[in-house]
């Protein structure tokens, strides 16, 4: 992978994953719903897994440099 696209993709995935995990943590701490119309456990689990996946994908992109 070329370094320019790898840096861009790594930064985008890492920032999105970190922001999603932070947002989910704040919503859960304030006891607010993570997603409307979905069970709270399912919504928190899905968003936490998605945030972790994006964060790991960004780290993987940076590792390919």
């Amino acid at each position: 992978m070329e370094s320019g696209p790898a840096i861009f993709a790594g930064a985008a995935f890492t920032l999105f994953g970190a922001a999603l995990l932070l947002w989910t943590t704040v919503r859960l701490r304030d006891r607010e719903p993570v997603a409307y119309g979905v069970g709270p456990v399912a919504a928190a689990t899905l968003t936490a897994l998605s945030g972790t996946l994006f964060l790991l994908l960004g780290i993987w992109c940076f590792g390919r440099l």
Side-chain angles (χ1 to χ4, degrees):
M1 189 182 289
E2 295 180 21
S3 63
I7 291 171
F8 177 76
F13 285 135
T14 304
L15 287 174
F16 181 73
L20 187 60
L21 287 173
L22 178 66
W23 179 81
T24 304
T25 303
V26 170
R27 297 291 285 188
L28 290 174
R29 187 191 64 205
D30 292 342
R31 299 203 184 274
E32 295 181 14
V34 176
Y36 293 108
V38 182
V41 174
T45 303
L46 185 61
T47 55
L49 286 175
S50 298
T52 304
L53 177 70
F54 278 108
L55 195 58
L56 290 175
L57 188 59
I59 292 169
W60 178 78
C61 286
F62 283 131
R64 302 285 295 171
L65 292 177

